[in-house]
Amino acid sequence: MTSSSRHLYQQIADDIRAQIADGTLVAGDQLPTEAELQERYDTSRHTARTAIAHLVQEGLVISRRPRGHFVRERRPMVYRPQSEFKRKPPELDIFMTLMADDGRMAAQDIDVAIVEGSPDVRQRLQLADGELAAVRRRVRKVEGEPYNINDSYFRLSDVQGSEIMHPANVERGTNQVMDELGIGQAKCLDEIYVRMPTPDESHRLQLLPGTPVAVHIVTGFDGDERPVQCVVNVLAGDRHVIVYERIRPQAESNQ
Amino acid sequence: MTSSSRHLYQQIADDIRAQIADGTLVAGDQLPTEAELQERYDTSRHTARTAIAHLVQEGLVISRRPRGHFVRERRPMVYRPQSEFKRKPPELDIFMTLMADDGRMAAQDIDVAIVEGSPDVRQRLQLADGELAAVRRRVRKVEGEPYNINDSYFRLSDVQGSEIMHPANVERGTNQVMDELGIGQAKCLDEIYVRMPTPDESHRLQLLPGTPVAVHIVTGFDGDERPVQCVVNVLAGDRHVIVYERIRPQAESNQ
DNA sequence: CAGCGGGCATTGTCCGGTCAATCCGAACCA
DNA sequence: TGGTTCGGATTGACCGGACAATGCCCGCTG
């Protein structure tokens, strides 16, 4: 069927991948079982397994033991870092309607702690030696499934005794609270890293094998360029699209 | 050493992962060989291999056959979607200096073609049935290593006969050319998807196993909300940080 | 008809092995 | 001294096998 220079497990994977690409196999379909592949390609179970394992690592296929392997589906939700600063809901949504954005934030587990913070966080908050941070840790869930991990770090001295330290949902938003505390953000810097999850993240987000994560770090600065907040978001790659809108600086129509 | 309920290959992987986390093993260090692990944990080579394979898929470890397995290093370059629209180089670079941003764009291979375009692209450009697109495909390299794939799609009717159709570097930038053609962009929409690479992408970007990609799609609109350009960037996850700056709308200091 | 339980198909974890491919370095030769 | 050859260490690609874990279905039972 395929060329002979490639390894057998690659040929098997290629064949299945091609079937997924051309629509012979669609999302939700079951793949041939390991035993079937073993027979069809006249090989060992080990080689058939290796082929499937590669497809799993590519995020194309999931295993539902002991039912078999299935073609994976992908339904990303829109993740919009800018919405934090925007009053109006976004316009510019030509194709957005495709996305499954219906299911609402059902729940979020919140806990608050006083911590040292990782070097990454300490650096971004420009904490002095020995200075501590407060962190609000949230796991956001949609329909029971965890969607992202959201850890917001503050200088402890900025927020001590405030509403931010209470492990309850702040209805009007923590940004509003920060404004009231006189540490409102004037601008912020977003960094997005892409990598495979740690086993811990994988567990907390209930990620399937072959699912990378996006780490979105927001460092907020007040009017004097002083960092006042550092938010670390870990997003499941298969459940998100990150969206930004950009307007050209000297644009004529700034509706 | 570790608990017994977890599987043996997981224990081995956990131990090595812990050593990487706590600095016993640092970037570039060699891992124990499969034979060593086999003996140390009194197991089969297969199990030792499985443990290492997991670490490879997590992006923590690379194989340099036949020298052994090594702790992977990560040196991301800053990728700044907004720079396209900014005249001045960015300010707000408190910790940016950490990043290895020194090596310059050494080369980029360009080719131009007239294509139908994938459904994704057609939809974003709002192409009518049968309408064709022009595409400038680029692979950008730094020091010989490919860094990202950059495919810019245009409506063929917009750019036919223009400089954009020439497979050569356009010194003053294609955006400038588009302005001159009267199809300048007023705003644009960025989408960022995170997933594992296809084998083709993996090959073109020379990705190591366990490296996800970010797909950054920019749809550019003119003053009348008409899409005039759609750029698809595929970025190697281990070689990029995506960075945005955001200024609060009604900010007082808009320096 | 509902609930329980046991068989069964399938994947997951392990064991054992062989041979090939690859890079390094040391030994050897010109 | 400089190049070349060759062996060794290591990973990669396969083979074969055994048993465990897990849902699902079906048939039995109350």
Side-chain angles (χ1 to χ4, degrees):
Chain A
M1 293 295 144
T2 39
S3 87
S4 60
S5 66
R6 263 174 96 72
H7 295 292
L8 180 52
Y9 78 88
Q10 289 176 329
Q11 291 180 31
I12 300 176
D14 288 350
D15 288 352
I16 296 173
R17 203 183 287 111
Q19 288 182 4
I20 295 174
D22 75 13
T24 310
L25 288 169
V26 301
D29 282 1
Q30 179 166 11
L31 265 60
T33 66
E34 295 171 359
E36 275 171 32
L37 290 174
Q38 177 176 351
E39 197 181 357
R40 189 180 304 174
Y41 288 89
D42 188 29
T43 179
S44 68
R45 186 180 160 214
H46 178 70
T47 301
R49 275 182 72 72
T50 305
I52 293 178
H54 273 76
L55 298 172
V56 170
Q57 289 305 335
E58 286 170 30
L60 290 177
V61 160
I62 60 168
S63 161
R64 289 202 222 153
R65 184 190 183 194
R67 290 175 41 200
H69 288 97
F70 297 82
V71 180
R72 188 165 171 178
E73 29 202 330
R74 177 174 250 262
R75 309 186 97 271
M77 259 186 63
V78 176
Y79 174 86
R80 192 184 293 275
Q82 290 169 323
S83 64
E84 187 189 343
F85 277 171
K86 295 233 161 148
R87 309 118 296 199
K88 291 180 287 188
E91 327 86 17
L92 209 58
D93 276 21
I94 290 111
F95 55 89
M96 280 299 138
T97 46
L98 288 182
M99 316 292 180
D101 207 359
D102 30 39
R104 271 302 66 146
M105 289 293 172
Q108 54 179 7
D109 302 341
I110 303 179
D111 88 85
V112 176
I114 295 174
V115 296
E116 237 187 67
S118 69
D120 282 348
V121 169
R122 295 189 67 78
Q123 182 182 26
R124 283 170 181 73
L125 275 183
Q126 293 174 31
L127 295 181
D129 281 357
E131 195 178 351
L132 292 174
V135 56
R136 277 175 73 87
R137 298 196 197 95
R138 282 180 288 181
V139 177
R140 289 181 177 155
K141 296 180 181 175
V142 175
E143 292 157 24
E145 296 302 308
Y147 257 62
N148 70 66
I149 299 171
N150 177 283
D151 294 347
S152 301
Y153 294 83
F154 307 88
R155 290 162 184 276
L156 180 57
S157 50
D158 278 353
V159 297
Q160 194 140 40
S162 81
E163 202 170 350
I164 285 174
M165 299 291 286
H166 287 138
N169 195 21
V170 179
E171 282 301 338
R172 62 193 194 284
T174 51
N175 277 347
Q176 179 66 36
V177 175
M178 289 180 68
D179 283 350
E180 293 163 18
L181 290 172
I183 50 169
Q185 293 172 55
K187 49 177 152 180
C188 59
L189 185 70
D190 291 10
E191 299 161 70
I192 299 166
Y193 296 84
V194 178
R195 58 166 170 77
M196 295 310 282
T198 65
D200 178 59
E201 289 164 348
S202 198
H203 177 251
R204 286 170 71 187
L205 290 175
Q206 291 180 237
L207 299 178
L208 295 168
T211 309
V213 293
V215 183
H216 173 219
I217 303 179
V218 188
T219 311
F221 298 86
D222 67 11
D224 306 321
E225 303 278 349
R226 193 184 72 122
V228 292
Q229 186 184 21
C230 177
V231 186
V232 181
N233 296 279
V234 182
L235 315 179
D238 60 341
R239 307 200 263 256
H240 290 282
V241 206
I242 303 172
V243 174
Y244 284 88
E245 286 173 43
R246 279 153 46 205
I247 304 200
R248 201 170 192 173
Q250 65 279 45
E252 52 293 295
S253 67
N254 67 340
Q255 181 254 343
Chain B
M1 292 292 146
T2 39
S3 87
S4 60
S5 68
R6 263 174 96 71
H7 295 291
L8 179 52
Y9 78 88
Q10 289 175 331
Q11 291 181 32
I12 300 175
D14 288 350
D15 287 352
I16 296 173
R17 202 182 289 111
Q19 288 182 5
I20 295 175
D22 75 13
T24 310
L25 287 169
V26 301
D29 282 0
Q30 180 167 11
L31 266 60
T33 65
E34 296 171 0
E36 277 171 31
L37 291 174
Q38 178 176 352
E39 197 181 358
R40 189 179 305 174
Y41 289 89
D42 188 28
T43 180
S44 67
R45 185 178 162 217
H46 179 71
T47 301
R49 276 181 71 72
T50 305
I52 294 178
H54 273 75
L55 298 171
V56 170
Q57 288 304 335
E58 285 170 30
L60 290 176
V61 160
I62 61 168
S63 161
R64 288 202 224 154
R65 184 190 183 197
R67 291 174 41 200
H69 287 98
F70 297 81
V71 180
R72 187 165 173 179
E73 30 202 329
R74 176 175 251 263
R75 308 187 97 271
M77 260 186 62
V78 177
Y79 174 87
R80 191 184 294 274
Q82 290 169 324
S83 64
E84 188 189 344
F85 277 170
K86 296 232 163 149
R87 308 119 296 198
K88 291 180 287 188
E91 327 86 15
L92 208 57
D93 275 22
I94 290 111
F95 54 90
M96 279 299 137
T97 46
L98 289 182
M99 316 290 180
D101 206 359
D102 29 40
R104 270 302 66 146
M105 288 291 171
Q108 55 179 7
D109 301 340
I110 303 180
D111 89 85
V112 176
I114 295 174
V115 296
E116 238 189 66
S118 69
D120 281 348
V121 169
R122 296 189 66 79
Q123 182 184 25
R124 283 171 182 73
L125 275 183
Q126 292 173 33
L127 295 181
D129 281 358
E131 196 177 350
L132 292 174
V135 57
R136 277 175 74 87
R137 298 196 198 94
R138 282 180 287 182
V139 177
R140 289 180 176 155
K141 296 180 182 177
V142 175
E143 293 157 24
E145 295 303 308
Y147 256 61
N148 70 64
I149 299 171
N150 177 283
D151 295 347
S152 302
Y153 293 84
F154 307 87
R155 290 161 184 275
L156 180 57
S157 50
D158 278 352
V159 297
Q160 193 139 40
S162 80
E163 201 170 350
I164 286 175
M165 299 291 286
H166 288 139
N169 195 21
V170 179
E171 283 301 339
R172 65 192 191 285
T174 51
N175 277 347
Q176 179 67 35
V177 176
M178 288 181 69
D179 282 350
E180 293 163 19
L181 290 172
I183 49 168
Q185 293 171 56
K187 50 176 150 181
C188 58
L189 184 70
D190 291 8
E191 299 160 71
I192 299 166
Y193 296 85
V194 177
R195 59 166 169 76
M196 296 311 282
T198 64
D200 177 60
E201 288 164 349
S202 197
H203 177 251
R204 287 169 72 187
L205 291 175
Q206 291 180 237
L207 300 178
L208 295 168
T211 310
V213 293
V215 182
H216 173 220
I217 303 179
V218 189
T219 311
F221 299 85
D222 66 11
D224 306 322
E225 302 280 348
R226 194 184 70 123
V228 292
Q229 185 184 23
C230 178
V231 185
V232 181
N233 296 279
V234 182
L235 316 178
D238 61 341
R239 307 201 263 255
H240 290 283
V241 206
I242 303 172
V243 174
Y244 283 89
E245 286 174 42
R246 279 152 47 206
I247 303 197
R248 199 170 194 175
Q250 66 278 45
E252 53 292 295
S253 67
N254 67 340
Q255 182 255 342

